[in-house]
């Protein structure tokens, strides 16, 4: 069944609202990083304890997705989304008020439980409204925000600390996040209508939505070879990104002696490559299927990862190392939108659950890759390069082994 298709103006408005929802994640994480020392000083607690608040956010982000997915398939997209955004606003204000580190950790967990509703449901909404080809285009446009937010967010966090370094700066950060969450809630309430079609609602004879078994739904998805191929390929590619984020500060600032400004330029250049590739993806989708672009992108990803390993073990200079690293990160701009679109394409009645499992798998694999980089940190670029290269090769292998072998690529007519 072909998804309902909104008009051009409605599509642009929807993308803006979904982009605002997508920005909550990077803002909640990356704005927070520069204020960690300030929180430790203000609450008179070790920095290791403050880092637990970040871990609590990641835990809430991972667990919450698994709940919102089935809820959005049963109750519709709109109600769980608005409930999650409301919870995010309240929890953000709780973080701003938190008198102790224990309270802050608890509210950060609740904040993540609210914020992850947008992560899951925004992908499901795109799946509800667009065909696979068009969904890949929409995801590409959202990559503009997802790529720019990690650059802007730390600068905003640093500015808030500089504005009031005595301690209130980090509290104002959460007030700002609550304000962004409130604006997102209002825009979502006014501009996003229910997108789950009535025939997909599961109701009993009294018209009350039935509760589907979470375990049965996720087991069924795990047995879907096509979905898992695309989800794992996308997850492994994202794991390479996390390995880069975890390892690159130590590689370039400690090993190659980059200053903070020089590293910021390097990070920004890679983010620009990611954004540019995601916008190029929209053009490619006019004449190529999303599966074909994804396959080519994963070949490029594996090649760049292998090149990164080679130059790293040859003790190449920072400039030489930066070239395959740039190519790897940029290629993710082609990988992410198409992997999501392909994974969700045939999941109409359970798109919310599929989106949730997709996000959780990506997060779990990325966390493992990040941990591997930390464990392999030995004063050079080899550990980071090895993890990134492995992620690229495994993503390519997963895609070609698991995808449907009989499916032919057909030029779309959009």
């Amino acid at each position: 069944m072909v998804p309902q298709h909104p008009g051009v103006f409605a599509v642009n408005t929807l993308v803006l609202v979904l982009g605002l929802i997508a920005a909550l994640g990077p803002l909640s994480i990356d704005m927070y990083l520069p204020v960690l020392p300030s929180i430790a000083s203000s609450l008179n607690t070790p920095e290791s304890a403050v880092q637990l608040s970040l871990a609590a956010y990641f835990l809430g982000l991972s667990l919450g997705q698994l709940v919102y997915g089935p809820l959005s398939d049963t109750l519709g997209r709109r109600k769980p989304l608005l409930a999650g955004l409301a919870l995010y606003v309240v929890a953000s204000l709780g973080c701003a008020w938190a008198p102790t580190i224990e309270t802050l950790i608890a509210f950060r967990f609740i904040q993540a439980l609210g914020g992850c509703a947008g992560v899951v449901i925004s992908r499901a909404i795109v799946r509800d409204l667009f065909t696979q080809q068009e969904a890949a285009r929409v995801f590409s446009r959202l990559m503009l925000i997802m790529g720019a937010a990690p650059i802007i967010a730390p600068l905003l966090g640093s500015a808030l600390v500089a504005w009031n370094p005595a301690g209130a700066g980090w509290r104002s950060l959460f007030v700002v996040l609550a304000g962004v969450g409130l604006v997102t809630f209002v825009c979502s309430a006014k501009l996003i209508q229910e997108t789950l079609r009535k025939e997909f609602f599961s109701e009993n004879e009294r018209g009350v939505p039935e509760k589907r078994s979470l375990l049965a739904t996720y087991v069924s998805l795990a047995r879907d070879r096509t979905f898992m191929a695309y989800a794992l390929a996308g997850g492994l590619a994202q794991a390479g990104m996390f390995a880069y984020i975890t390892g690159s500060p130590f590689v370039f600032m400690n090993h190659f002696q980059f200053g903070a400004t020089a590293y910021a330029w390097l990070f920004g250049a890679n983010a620009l490559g990611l954004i540019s590739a995601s916008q190029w993806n929209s053009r490619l989708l006019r004449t190529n299927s999303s599966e074909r672009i994804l396959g080519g992108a994963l070949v490029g990803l594996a090649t760049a990862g292998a090149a990164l390993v080679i130059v790293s073990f040859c003790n190449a200079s920072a400039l030489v190392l930066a070239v395959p690293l740039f190519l790897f990160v940029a290629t993710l701009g082609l990988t992410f939108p198409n992997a999501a679109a392909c994974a969700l394409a045939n999941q109409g009645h359970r798109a919310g659950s599929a989106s949730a499992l997709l996000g959780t798998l990506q997060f779990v694999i990325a966390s493992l890759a990040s941990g591997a980089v930390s464990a392999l940190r030995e004063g050079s670029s080899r550990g980071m390069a090895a993890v990134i290269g492995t992620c690229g090769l495994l993503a390519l292998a997963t895609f070609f082994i698991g995808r449907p072998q009989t499916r032919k690529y057909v030029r779309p007519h959009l």
Side-chain angles (χ1 to χ4, degrees):
M1 185 171 293
V2 179
Q4 51 185 312
H5 198 295
V8 174
F9 177 78
V11 168
N12 292 333
T13 302
L14 177 67
V15 170
L16 286 175
V17 177
L18 292 181
L20 190 59
I21 295 172
L24 285 180
L27 287 175
S28 301
I29 297 172
D30 297 328
M31 277 183 70
Y32 188 64
L33 299 179
V35 306
L36 292 180
S38 179
I39 294 175
S41 175
S42 175
L43 297 180
N44 193 27
T45 188
E47 287 193 17
S48 58
V50 179
Q51 289 173 341
L52 289 177
S53 65
L54 189 60
Y57 187 89
F58 286 137
L59 180 62
L61 191 65
S62 181
L63 296 178
Q65 291 189 63
L66 295 175
V67 176
Y68 282 110
L71 277 179
S72 71
D73 287 338
T74 303
L75 302 177
R77 315 298 187 208
R78 182 178 162 85
K79 291 180 181 178
L81 173 62
L82 295 179
L85 291 175
L87 182 62
Y88 177 90
V89 173
V90 173
S92 297
L93 293 175
C95 290
W97 162 82
T100 65
I101 187 59
E102 291 80 11
T103 307
L104 179 62
I105 291 172
F107 273 115
R108 279 291 276 175
F109 179 78
I110 298 172
Q111 185 190 39
L113 289 180
C116 70
V119 176
V120 174
I121 298 174
S122 60
R123 285 194 296 255
I125 289 174
V126 173
R127 167 59 189 83
D128 291 340
L129 295 176
F130 302 97
T131 64
Q132 179 177 331
Q133 258 339 74
E134 293 166 333
R137 286 187 183 180
V138 174
F139 287 134
S140 295
R141 294 174 66 182
L142 292 177
M143 285 296 295
L144 273 172
I145 298 172
M146 296 302 291
I151 302 174
I152 299 172
L155 299 177
L156 292 176
S158 299
L160 289 172
V161 173
W163 169 65
N164 193 338
W170 71 267
R171 296 186 185 278
S172 62
L173 179 150
F174 288 109
V175 175
V176 170
L177 289 177
V180 174
L182 182 60
V183 170
T184 304
F185 176 88
V186 172
C187 290
S188 299
K190 288 184 172 294
L191 300 174
I192 293 182
Q193 303 300 318
E194 181 55 61
T195 61
L196 183 65
R197 298 194 297 280
K198 290 184 177 180
E199 61 265 30
F200 285 163
F201 280 92
S202 176
E203 299 179 344
N204 58 28
E205 294 179 355
R206 294 175 298 170
V208 179
E210 294 179 347
K211 295 182 179 179
R212 295 188 179 119
S213 168
L214 271 68
L215 180 60
T217 300
Y218 288 127
V219 168
S220 176
L221 283 167
R223 291 176 176 174
D224 186 334
R225 178 176 173 177
T226 303
F227 169 78
M228 290 300 294
Y230 293 132
L232 289 174
L236 287 162
Q238 181 166 301
M241 179 73 165
F242 268 60
Y244 152 70
I245 293 173
T246 301
S248 60
F250 298 95
V251 169
F252 288 97
M253 298 181 74
N254 292 355
H255 180 61
F256 289 114
Q257 299 298 306
F258 275 36
T261 302
Y263 175 74
W265 279 104
L266 174 72
F267 193 89
N270 288 335
L272 181 61
L274 175 68
I275 295 171
S276 300
S278 69
Q279 301 317 294
W280 183 40
N281 184 59
S282 294
R283 292 179 175 270
L284 291 176
L285 285 164
R286 296 175 183 175
T287 54
N288 299 274
S289 70
S290 53
E291 297 99 325
R292 184 175 184 179
I293 298 173
L294 178 59
L298 290 173
V299 171
L301 201 71
T303 302
L308 182 65
V309 173
I310 292 172
V311 299
S312 177
F313 278 80
C314 290
N315 296 317
S317 66
L319 181 60
V320 173
L321 186 75
V323 173
L325 187 60
F326 172 83
L327 294 175
F328 185 95
V329 175
T331 305
L332 294 173
L334 300 172
T335 305
F336 290 159
N338 294 301
C342 290
L344 299 177
N346 298 316
Q347 307 298 330
H349 68 288
R350 56 183 187 184
S353 300
S355 175
L357 185 57
L358 174 68
T360 299
L361 282 174
Q362 290 179 344
F363 179 81
V364 170
I365 299 172
S367 298
L368 292 174
S370 180
V373 171
S374 299
L376 295 173
R377 190 182 302 155
E378 31 64 70
S380 73
S381 61
R382 294 178 180 178
M384 180 190 73
V387 175
I388 291 176
T390 300
C391 289
L393 290 171
L394 288 177
L396 177 63
T398 300
F399 172 77
F400 280 106
I401 293 173
R403 70 185 177 89
Q405 299 299 314
T406 58
R407 186 166 186 173
K408 295 181 179 180
Y409 296 123
V410 179
R411 177 173 293 188
H413 299 282
L414 297 180

